[in-house]
Amino acid sequence: MNVERTTRSAAWARAALFALGPVAVALLAGALLLLAMGVDPLAYYGYVAGRGLLSPSGLQATLTRMGPLLLIAASLIVAFRAGIWNLGGDGQFLLAAVSAAAAAPALAAHAPVWLVLPACLVLGAAVAALWSLLPALLRAFQGINEIITTLMMTFLGVSLANVLIKLVFRDPATTVPQTRTLPVADRLPRLFDTTVSSGLLIGLVAVVAVHLVMTRTAFGLKLRTVGANPGAALHAGLPVPMLTVVVFGISAALAGLAGAVDVLGTQGNVRADWNPAYSLTVVPLVFLARFNGFGTIAFVFLFSVLSIGGESAARRLGVPGYFSLVIVAILLVVLGLAEYLDQRRQRKGED
């Protein structure tokens, strides 16, 4: 029993090291870059924590930002656990956002809000799922690499979203190309008399549900089997092509739901050339959490603090607004090195 407990403790300590170690290294590297730019790292991180975590308004903005990010994370967990690289989340997100932004004001003029909001959320998820159909079929029945097809569909999706905003769904009452604005009163309700959008709850439920389905159900076991060894899955009689299409649909629908939640809960409209590029940003967070839903929630919260606080720090210290993304990029590189060293250590242990 003591040996088993010690082994379990060592496994948890190793997991914590490989999860938190890259974060610490990335923050340290970010500090060195700030010093090279002539900026006090303590002041920068102080503004980040003060605005993104310690300030009541900043904390509420952080929690609101988490809603779509968690839905993107749920989308990636489904795909990655099934061995599928759905890197088309940004295109799926934008097309769903534009669809929800165009439909919500039009429907709100003729139907109650309690009916309009769920309908637009479903619409966004459905549009994104349909947009993923071509890469899904190519991967399932032709074996074409989905990394290439989903990235290509992202470029097409972003361009199509801009065309729809400028030519089809443009609000004629504005000079800047954008969709009509959904009134604040008709958006997703706020939580507990705060400015936090209920999209946060939708994101939390999605991540927890995905985690439980993938780890506790027979359906999740099938998807993990397909991801681990497609040949063995075929030999076991699993319908691999159909499961592949289903995974694409679920993953894309969650990414589309993220776009709809962002528009219906926070933005209210979509402007031309707007692309927050959440999908590729969340990829390293999901890998840091080792595809664990609960760990992903923690890392998404950390990134949201860094994102909201980094915007404030950039204004106060003259740091480029995208510096927080530089830290995320460093984090991705460090994560890759950590994975390489871990696999090398395991191979030496087997030898």
Side-chain angles (χ1 to χ4, degrees):
M1 181 65 70
N2 291 333
V3 174
E4 181 180 353
R5 186 180 297 111
T6 302
T7 303
R8 189 181 300 113
S9 299
W12 276 103
R14 176 174 163 274
L17 175 63
F18 275 90
L20 299 179
V23 174
V25 173
L27 292 176
L28 178 60
L32 295 176
L33 285 177
L34 289 169
L35 285 174
M37 296 164 57
V39 177
D40 183 1
L42 295 180
Y44 179 83
Y45 289 131
Y47 280 126
V48 168
R51 171 61 180 168
L53 183 62
L54 303 179
S55 164
S57 61
L59 179 59
Q60 292 176 38
T62 294
L63 295 175
T64 297
R65 178 70 58 86
M66 286 181 66
L69 294 179
L70 287 172
L71 286 163
I72 291 290
S75 164
L76 293 172
I77 290 173
V78 170
F80 291 163
R81 277 189 174 271
I84 292 173
W85 285 78
N86 176 22
L87 300 183
D90 289 332
Q92 296 153 11
F93 175 97
L94 273 178
L95 285 174
V98 171
S99 301
L107 294 176
H110 306 284
V113 174
W114 62 266
L115 183 60
V116 171
L117 292 177
C120 290
L121 291 174
V122 172
L123 174 64
V127 167
L130 287 173
W131 190 250
S132 73
L133 188 58
L134 179 59
L137 294 175
L138 290 175
R139 162 65 191 266
F141 297 102
Q142 299 297 325
I144 296 178
N145 191 310
E146 72 278 10
I147 296 178
I148 298 173
T149 55
T150 53
L151 285 175
M152 290 177 62
M153 292 298 285
T154 285
F155 295 133
L156 290 174
V158 171
S159 299
L160 178 58
N162 284 320
V163 169
L164 291 174
I165 294 170
K166 295 176 181 179
L167 299 181
V168 181
F169 301 135
R170 179 171 179 170
D171 183 359
T174 61
T175 57
V176 177
Q178 65 179 43
T179 62
R180 291 174 57 193
T181 300
L182 183 68
V184 175
D186 293 338
R187 298 178 192 176
L188 291 173
R190 307 299 181 184
L191 298 177
F192 311 114
D193 296 325
T194 68
T195 61
V196 179
S197 170
S198 54
L200 172 65
L201 288 182
I202 298 174
L204 288 171
V205 169
V207 169
V208 173
V210 162
H211 177 81
L212 295 178
V213 167
M214 297 300 294
T215 59
R216 305 291 178 84
T217 68
F219 178 68
L221 177 60
K222 291 178 181 179
L223 297 185
R224 298 201 317 271
T225 302
V226 171
N229 194 329
L234 278 172
H235 185 71
L238 295 179
V240 174
M242 184 57 65
L243 288 175
T244 299
V245 174
V246 169
V247 168
F248 265 101
I250 295 174
S251 177
L254 288 168
L257 189 59
V261 161
D262 203 14
V263 167
L264 300 176
T266 307
Q267 306 295 336
N269 61 42
V270 179
R271 293 189 174 189
D273 302 319
W274 175 70
N275 182 12
Y278 286 148
S279 183
L280 294 180
T281 303
V282 176
V283 168
L285 307 182
V286 171
F287 271 91
L288 275 172
R290 302 299 177 94
F291 310 148
N292 181 285
F294 299 103
T296 298
I297 294 173
F299 283 112
V300 167
F301 175 73
L302 176 63
F303 173 76
S304 297
V305 170
L306 183 63
S307 177
I308 295 296
E311 294 171 0
S312 175
R315 290 192 299 269
R316 294 172 179 267
L317 299 176
V319 178
Y322 52 80
F323 187 77
S324 58
L325 295 180
V326 173
I327 296 179
V328 172
I330 296 173
L331 178 60
L332 184 59
V333 173
V334 175
L335 176 62
L337 291 174
E339 288 288 341
Y340 167 75
L341 293 175
D342 185 36
Q343 292 179 7
R344 185 176 180 182
R345 182 190 64 81
Q346 291 178 1
R347 286 195 297 268
K348 285 184 176 180
E350 293 174 358
D351 296 339

